[in-house]
Amino acid sequence: MDESGRPQPGSGTTDDHQAARPGPTPPPPASANGAARANSVPHTPRDPEEPPHKEHPEDTTPADQGDTPDIAPDTAPGSDPFTKHTPAGGDDTAPPAQDPVSQGDTPPTRTPATSGRRPTKAPEPRGGLLMGRPFGVPVYVAPSWFLVAALITWVFGGQLDHVLPGLGAVRYLVSLFFAVAFYASVLVHELAHTVAALRFKLPVRRIQLQFFGGVSEIEKESESPGREFVLAFVGPLLSLVLAGVFYLGMLAVEPGTVPGVLLAGLMISNLIVAAFNLLPGLPLDGGRMLRAIVWKITGKPMSGTVAAAWVGRALAIAVLIGLPLLTQSGALGEGAADVSGMDTVTDALLAAILAAIIWTGAGNSLRMARLREHLPELRARTLTRRAVPVESATPLSEALRRANEAGARALVIVDADGEPRSLVREAAIVGVPEHRRPWVAVSGLAHDLTDGMRVSAELAGEELLDTLRATPATEYLVVEESGAIYGVLSAADVERAFVKAMARPS
C-alpha cells in the first residue's frame, strides 16, 4: 500500500511512495505502508570552532520581504545590521522544518561549513541490513523483520503440526522457509513499484522490508494522474500474478505434502496482500489509485489526496472495529480464531496496530500534499539577502559600514577581478566584539565557496531544496544567470520560511 512523503522542504516531499505489505501469518494479515517522512530543511549548525556569542532578536522574516530582502526596516544608516539583528533563524525554540524531498526517517546531515573545508554531502540513509541493490536501489531488511519472521515461524510451525504431523521439529525449518519466501514475494511487490517509478524518471530512495511488510520510498510525485494510477496498481497486480503462479505450482504437486502446503500458504498470503492493498484509502495502493481518479476528474491533485486520505481514515476505523468482529463471528471462515492461533485480545491488538498505521499514513499523506502545495513559495530570489563585495584584507568594521550604507545584510569576499571567493559567516561576525572589529580582517571570518554553494537566483521549490541538501552549509552565494552576484541565501531563512508556509492552511 502506498502513501505520499516528499517531505516532501524532503517527502521531501516525498513524492515518497511507500508500500507496506501485510505481515504474513497464514493466512497473514496485511499492513499499511508509511509515507514520506519529515525531516528538517537543510540547515548547518554554527561552526563549533567559532567563539560563543549572544543571539539577538530579528525583526523581519526574509520570506516576507519580496524580491529585494534588504536591511530590516528599523535599521537606519549609521547602525550596524549585524548587532541590531540576529542571524536568520530567529528563536531556537521554533519547530523544526520538514523536508519534503528526502522521504525517509533519517534527517539530512548537518555539517559545519568551516573555512577551507569542503562541506560533505549528506550520507545515504540506512534502514537496517543492506541486502542488495536491484536496479540500483538499495534494499534493506529492518531489525523488526527478524521479529515477525520468528513469529511466522512459530505460528506456521504450529499449523504444520496439524496438517503434517509427521514432520516433527523439521516443521519449524519449513515454516522459516515460508516466512522468507513470503517476504521475497513482498520484495517483488515493491520492485514492481520501483521499476514503474524508474520508468517514469522518479528517483527511488530505498526499499525496506520491515515488521508489517515492505516500504518503497519514491522521492518525487507523479506528473500526471495516469502515471500515479499505474505506479500504484503495479504492486497489487504483481501480487495477484504471484498468487496465480503459486496456484499453478500447487496443481503440479501432490496435495498434503510439504511443497503443496507451502505453495498454498504463499498463494493465500499474496491474495491477501493484493486485496488489502487495493482497499481505496491512503496510504494503501488502492488509495493512491482513488487519488489518481479524483485528480483526473477535478484536475487538482490536492483534491484527490484529501478524498483518498479521508477514505483512508474511515478505513482505519472500520479495521479497528470490524476486524475483531469478523474474526470472532466466523465470517472469515469457521474456526478462524483456532486456525490463526489468535484469541480475542490478539485480534483486537492486531486491528489496533493496522488501524493506527492506516490512520497515520492518511494523515501523513495530507501533510505531504500541503507541503508540496506550498513548496513553490520558497524562491531563492525572494529569500536572498542583499550583499556587498569586499576584498579579503578589508577590516570588519569597514565592511560593515559599507554594508550598512548599501542596505545589505551579507558580505561576499571577492578577488582583484571581482570574482567571489568566499562568504563571511554571519555567526562569526556577531561573535566579534565591536571594539575589535577595526583590527579583524573579513578573511578570518569567511569560508571558501565550493561549486555546490553557488545557487541560481531562479531556483524555487523542490529544486531549491534539492540543491541545498546536496551541499549542506549555513550560507550560499546566489548568482544571476549571467554569473553576477545577486546576494547571499541563509539556510536558516529557508527553514524559517518553510515553517511559516506550512503553518498556513491549504
Side-chain angles (χ1 to χ4, degrees):
M1 67 195 115
D2 300 305
E3 98 173 67
S4 164
R6 273 127 119 254
Q8 28 288 337
S11 183
T13 190
T14 355
D15 73 331
D16 285 358
H17 173 94
Q18 305 184 342
R21 314 303 162 201
T25 57
S31 95
N33 74 322
R37 315 302 195 263
N39 294 334
S40 39
V41 176
H43 177 63
T44 309
R46 182 180 298 116
D47 190 336
E49 297 179 0
E50 293 172 12
H53 61 273
K54 189 183 216 177
E55 298 286 353
H56 37 275
E58 183 171 19
D59 299 333
T60 61
T61 301
D64 299 332
Q65 296 181 6
D67 289 339
T68 55
D70 301 338
I71 199 166
D74 63 341
T75 304
S79 62
D80 184 354
F82 294 96
T83 56
K84 297 188 74 66
H85 302 279
T86 45
D91 190 357
D92 289 339
T93 62
Q98 294 176 316
D99 185 353
V101 179
S102 26
Q103 307 302 321
D105 295 328
T106 305
T109 300
R110 302 190 174 201
T111 308
T114 56
S115 179
R117 183 184 307 168
R118 184 182 181 90
T120 57
K121 195 170 183 177
E124 179 184 273
R126 298 188 62 83
L129 181 63
L130 179 63
M131 300 302 294
R133 294 178 178 271
F135 306 103
V137 178
V139 176
Y140 293 98
V141 174
S144 59
W145 178 86
F146 296 95
L147 176 62
V148 74
L151 178 63
I152 294 172
T153 300
W154 175 67
V155 173
F156 194 52
Q159 296 177 20
L160 285 177
D161 194 33
H162 296 290
V163 180
L164 301 172
L167 288 179
V170 178
R171 68 181 184 273
Y172 291 108
L173 290 177
V174 176
S175 59
L176 177 60
F177 177 82
F178 169 81
V180 173
F182 175 81
Y183 269 86
S185 63
V186 170
L187 177 59
V188 171
H189 180 119
E190 299 303 329
L191 287 174
H193 290 304
T194 296
V195 171
L198 296 177
R199 175 67 178 81
F200 295 146
K201 309 298 183 184
L202 301 176
V204 182
R205 193 183 194 198
R206 65 178 176 180
I207 295 174
Q208 186 184 55
L209 300 180
Q210 50 188 232
F211 186 87
F212 268 102
V215 175
S216 54
E217 297 181 9
I218 300 173
E219 296 186 349
K220 294 186 181 295
E221 188 178 60
S222 300
E223 296 178 354
S224 67
R227 290 188 173 187
E228 174 80 352
F229 189 92
V230 171
L231 189 59
F233 181 62
V234 290
L237 177 62
L238 257 291
S239 293
L240 289 173
V241 170
L242 286 176
V245 171
F246 290 131
Y247 174 74
L248 294 177
M250 236 173 60
L251 298 179
V253 300
E254 185 178 349
T257 62
V258 170
V261 172
L262 285 175
L263 290 170
L266 291 171
M267 179 195 69
I268 295 173
S269 296
N270 277 277
L271 284 175
I272 292 176
V273 169
F276 188 78
N277 277 278
L278 286 172
L279 293 176
L282 288 172
L284 307 176
D285 291 329
R288 295 186 65 87
M289 294 163 63
L290 174 61
R291 174 181 183 268
I293 293 173
V294 176
W295 178 2
K296 180 66 175 179
I297 294 173
T298 64
K300 300 178 180 178
M302 186 65 182
S303 298
T305 300
V306 171
W310 279 105
V311 172
R313 286 176 169 176
L315 181 62
I317 296 174
V319 169
L320 179 63
I321 299 173
L323 184 59
L325 293 178
L326 287 174
T327 303
Q328 296 305 314
S329 66
L332 298 179
E334 294 185 6
D338 295 334
V339 172
S340 63
M342 296 185 296
D343 55 16
T344 304
V345 175
T346 305
D347 290 339
L349 179 61
L350 176 62
I353 293 174
L354 290 176
I357 292 174
I358 297 173
W359 182 279
T360 302
N364 286 340
S365 297
L366 283 174
R367 283 190 291 273
M368 290 302 301
R370 186 176 64 178
L371 181 152
R372 291 185 180 281
E373 190 176 45
H374 289 309
L375 270 184
E377 300 175 14
L378 302 181
R379 299 186 296 273
R381 188 176 293 278
T382 301
L383 296 172
T384 296
R385 302 175 175 188
R386 180 178 296 177
V388 294
V390 295
E391 295 184 351
S392 60
T394 306
L396 178 59
S397 59
E398 171 62 16
L400 293 180
R401 185 191 65 78
R402 297 180 191 176
N404 183 63
E405 287 183 351
R409 298 177 56 207
L411 301 173
V412 178
I413 296 179
V414 297
D415 59 19
D417 297 325
E419 290 295 321
R421 296 302 179 190
S422 57
L423 300 179
V424 179
R425 295 169 295 169
E426 185 177 6
I429 294 175
V430 177
V432 178
E434 289 191 51
H435 69 274
R436 291 190 56 220
R437 292 180 178 182
W439 292 274
V440 176
V442 290
S443 59
L445 307 175
H447 57 88
D448 294 338
L449 282 171
T450 63
D451 291 339
M453 292 170 63
R454 296 173 186 263
V455 177
S456 170
E458 305 304 321
L459 290 181
E462 200 162 335
E463 187 179 6
L464 172 62
L465 298 177
D466 288 343
T467 301
L468 301 190
R469 271 185 33 241
T471 307
T474 50
E475 292 100 8
Y476 300 84
L477 177 68
V478 180
V479 296
E480 298 282 8
E481 292 183 357
S482 63
I485 298 174
Y486 180 75
V488 172
L489 176 65
S490 168
D493 286 351
V494 179
E495 181 172 355
R496 187 166 58 174
F498 171 71
V499 171
K500 188 173 182 179
M502 284 297 295
R504 293 196 297 271
S506 299

